[in-house]
Amino acid sequence: MKKCTAQCWVEVRNKVHLFVTGDQSKLDVLNTWIKSIEGKVKKFNNHHQLSIEEEEKEEKIGGFHCEKFAFAFGLIGSSHTRKSIKIVKNLRMCVDCHQMAKYISAAYECEIYLSDSKCLHHFKNGHCSCGDYW
């Protein structure tokens, strides 16, 4: 049984942009930004928890999950005064991406609204409205 390809949509400057998990054609600046922040995310929150994930691990797909592209594009592609990022995803968000969203909301002082297949997450000040239970 083949898993569905994860997709995210993010609105930046009144346009909706699509990102697909594992897409190797994305701008180098997005890949560089994601790589630079991953180590900071691990230091920010290094506890492990049981999770049920609908999406393949990034190591298996050879690229990043679509919401990481959406986070990067939402921050890089908008003005520095942007205080919120709105994302829609067709599958459930994984633990790594959830942790990254929490870190970004704290480090960049922004709010992230991410609607996945199970929950509407609202990230603010390093916390999520789901209480880390989704």
Side-chain angles (χ1 to χ4, degrees), residues 37-47 68 96 103:
I37 201 168
E38 283 186 319
K40 296 173 186 174
V41 172
K42 286 182 172 78
K43 291 177 188 172
F44 175 74
N45 194 345
N46 61 5
H47 73 278
K68 289 184 179 179
D96 290 342
Y103 172 79

Side-chain angles (χ1 to χ4, degrees), residues 8-23:
C8 284
W9 297 264
V10 61
E11 180 269 325
V12 174
R13 295 184 184 160
N14 296 321
K15 286 187 178 181
V16 176
H17 303 270
L18 170 66
F19 294 95
V20 179
T21 291
D23 188 350

Side-chain angles (χ1 to χ4, degrees), residues 5 22 27 59 65 85 92:
T5 301
L27 298 172
E59 301 84 42
H65 287 168
I85 300 170
R92 178 183 273 175

Side-chain angles (χ1 to χ4, degrees), residues 4 11 19-20 25 32 44 67 133:
C4 181
E11 180 269 325
F19 294 95
V20 179
S25 67
T32 302
F44 175 74
E67 57 268 50
Y133 181 77

Side-chain angles (χ1 to χ4, degrees), residues 54 67 87-94 98 112-123 128-134:
E54 296 179 352
E67 57 268 50
I87 301 169
V88 175
K89 182 175 181 186
N90 67 331
L91 299 177
R92 178 183 273 175
M93 183 180 214
C94 77
H98 195 268
I112 299 171
Y113 299 90
L114 191 146
S115 178
D116 69 12
S117 65
K118 302 293 180 192
C119 181
L120 172 62
H121 302 269
H122 176 210
F123 299 94
C128 182
S129 60
C130 74
D132 296 337
Y133 181 77
W134 73 105

Side-chain angles (χ1 to χ4, degrees), residues 75-86:
L75 288 169
I76 294 170
S78 62
S79 67
H80 293 293
T81 60
R82 184 175 181 95
K83 292 294 181 185
S84 68
I85 300 170
K86 297 174 185 93

